[in-house]
Amino acid sequence: MFEVEALRRQFPILQRQVHGRPLVYLDSAATTQKPLAVIEAERHYYETLNANIHRGVHALSQEATDAFEGARDKVRAFIGAARREEIIFTRGATEAINLVAHSWGRQSLAPGDEILISEMEHHANIVPWQLLCEATGAILKVIPIDARGALVPGAVDAMIGPRTRLVGITQVSNALGTVNPVADIVRQAHRVGAVVLVDGAQAVAHQPVDVVALDCDFYVFSGHKLYGPTGIGVLYGKQALLERMPPYQGGGDMIAQVTFEKTTYNSLPYKFEAGTPHIAGAIGLGAAIDFLQHIGLDAVARHEDRLLAHATQQAEAFEGLTCVGTAPGKVGVLSFVMKGVHPHDIGTILDREGVAIRTGHHCAMPVMDRYQVPATARASFAMYNTIGEVDALFRALRRVEELFLK
Ligand code: C6P
């Protein structure tokens, strides 16, 4: 049984007030709030285990190493990867994509090769590929999206060709909520020998993910959008690919042996984890995964679908409000514009009412260009939101209407 009120008590921040009103937090696509289990896991680490990992023979270092490596095992199981060697800790989704672009990309691309991304990508899944194209002479191609925010039917098929080397695709769009058919895209890409990187930043908290079933070559996500800490994220890569890739950064822990003449590298996953990692963050992420699995992602998804359906219904009945992103099966976010009011003004008035949403381009400027809007207002939902909070959002939007349009 999914008990949202009991669940909310696990998130201390949800008890606070903003501008004298109860906080209505509808910005979880930017970052989720953290449950006690995560806060306590980090605190427990600093209070009882704090030491550097993989380095010391002393008890604390060994216990910290066990906790850190235990978190890697949790991540592996959570996304269905076959081997722990395939789980690389990074600072977040952004760093994971840059790692692949830098390490796989510079080794694998020649002038005229093609990288295919979509028009709905977050800047983190655009700019690293542009930098790579500049460095290698590869060409960036963009799969267009339709009026509702889905990939244009047939476009992937038409655009994947013999020169395609990599497809970078988001599983769920942060600006539109669109869920992309990534398993189909992987099949199409593999037919021409291209590899696929799936950006799972907005997917992992909303639906179960199985990287083996998807058969993607790389999968990335951030801990902080999964009820975990900031500064920790994951790159999953197929072992055979990771083995062939050169290190991304050099430093401690990623080496086997160093002399001034020659350095050899550590085995996976450590080859890609130079320097002291965010140990507490990884442990916190492990706790977030335990927490989420205890509640059950299917139950979370059903609850969020109800919230989104309720919000969509109210949005459709709201004169002058237009939703941006209405693809069938979308999840997590309601992006919208209001005739005659700039999204930043909407965000400011809502904040005064205690309602936190994000306004702006959501680090997806090409999406704004596609729909010819300067920005949108975006409410995003998580397991702890309630139907009452959706109603509070729309009450606050009526206040915006009163102030600006009446
Ligand atoms: N989107 C949002 O408000 P980082 O910053 O590395 O944790 O995640 C980057 C990222 C990559 N891909 C997608 C689809 C994303 O949504 C994000 C982050 C936040 O929508 C902050 S811009």
Side-chain angles (χ1 to χ4, degrees), residues 42-370:
E42 286 209 56
R43 187 187 163 107
H44 178 259
Y45 164 73
Y46 284 121
E47 279 185 355
T48 65
L49 312 178
N50 180 48
N52 212 326
I53 54 168
H54 303 143
R55 287 160 170 86
V57 291
H58 61 80
L60 288 188
S61 176
Q62 288 181 3
E63 286 171 29
T65 302
D66 289 348
F68 180 81
E69 292 301 330
R72 194 189 308 277
D73 291 327
K74 288 176 189 181
V75 171
R76 184 205 64 72
F78 180 63
I79 60 169
R83 301 176 189 88
R84 67 193 316 283
E85 290 79 4
E86 298 179 321
I87 306 298
I88 317 287
F89 282 122
T90 65
R91 283 193 297 134
T94 301
E95 190 182 48
I97 298 171
N98 278 280
L99 191 164
V100 174
H102 209 273
S103 170
W104 176 88
R106 284 172 193 241
Q107 182 186 56
S108 308
L109 296 188
D113 284 346
E114 292 170 8
I115 296 171
L116 193 56
I117 60 171
S118 85
E119 202 176 4
M120 73 178 86
E121 298 309 314
H122 185 280
H123 298 163
N125 204 23
I126 301 174
V127 185
W129 307 122
Q130 288 175 323
L131 292 169
L132 179 60
C133 287
E134 273 171 35
T136 62
I139 299 160
L140 190 67
K141 293 196 152 183
V142 182
I143 307 160
I145 55 180
D146 67 16
R148 301 182 70 181
L151 298 175
V152 168
V156 176
D157 216 12
M159 295 182 76
I160 286 183
R163 293 306 300 263
T164 312
R165 296 286 176 266
L166 179 135
V167 181
I169 186 81
T170 194
Q171 193 169 13
V172 173
S173 156
N174 69 319
L176 304 166
T178 309
V179 181
N180 284 316
V182 286
D184 292 346
I185 294 171
V186 170
R187 265 192 297 280
Q188 283 167 291
H190 284 177
R191 252 182 246 138
V192 297
V195 301
V196 179
L197 179 143
V198 177
D199 176 355
Q202 296 293 346
V204 280
H206 303 291
Q207 58 186 64
V209 169
D210 183 331
V211 290
V212 171
L214 288 178
D215 197 25
C216 56
D217 302 282
F218 300 107
Y219 191 95
V220 307
F221 65 93
S222 298
H224 71 97
K225 296 186 198 290
L226 189 67
Y227 307 98
T230 54
I232 187 77
V234 171
L235 165 65
Y236 157 82
K238 284 184 179 166
Q239 186 167 4
L241 274 170
L242 293 174
E243 295 282 11
R244 287 199 297 274
M245 287 160 49
Y248 171 51
Q249 293 181 331
D253 226 21
M254 53 73 71
I255 53 87
Q257 189 156 31
V258 178
T259 66
F260 288 116
E261 289 69 42
K262 184 174 168 56
T263 290
T264 53
Y265 306 125
N266 205 340
S267 54
L268 289 174
Y270 313 110
K271 180 172 85 173
F272 292 109
E273 292 179 354
T276 302
H278 186 4
I279 304 166
I283 293 168
L285 175 57
I289 288 172
D290 285 344
F291 174 79
L292 194 54
Q293 284 183 326
H294 180 70
I295 291 155
L297 258 170
D298 289 324
V300 170
R302 275 195 301 276
H303 174 69
E304 291 173 352
D305 283 349
R306 274 196 299 274
L307 297 172
L308 188 58
H310 185 65
T312 305
Q313 207 177 23
Q314 297 207 47
E316 282 167 355
F318 200 116
E319 208 181 317
L321 189 152
T322 307
C323 289
V324 180
T326 53
K330 66 175 272 200
V331 296
V333 306
L334 186 84
S335 246
F336 57 92
V337 289
M338 259 172 100
K339 199 161 184 261
V341 194
H342 194 280
H344 290 310
D345 292 329
I346 300 177
T348 306
I349 303 299
L350 262 53
D351 178 53
R352 302 303 303 179
E353 302 290 317
V355 179
I357 62 162
R358 184 170 175 190
T359 60
H361 52 64
H362 314 297
C363 301
M365 283 187 179
V367 173
M368 303 301 120
D369 290 345
R370 167 65 180 81

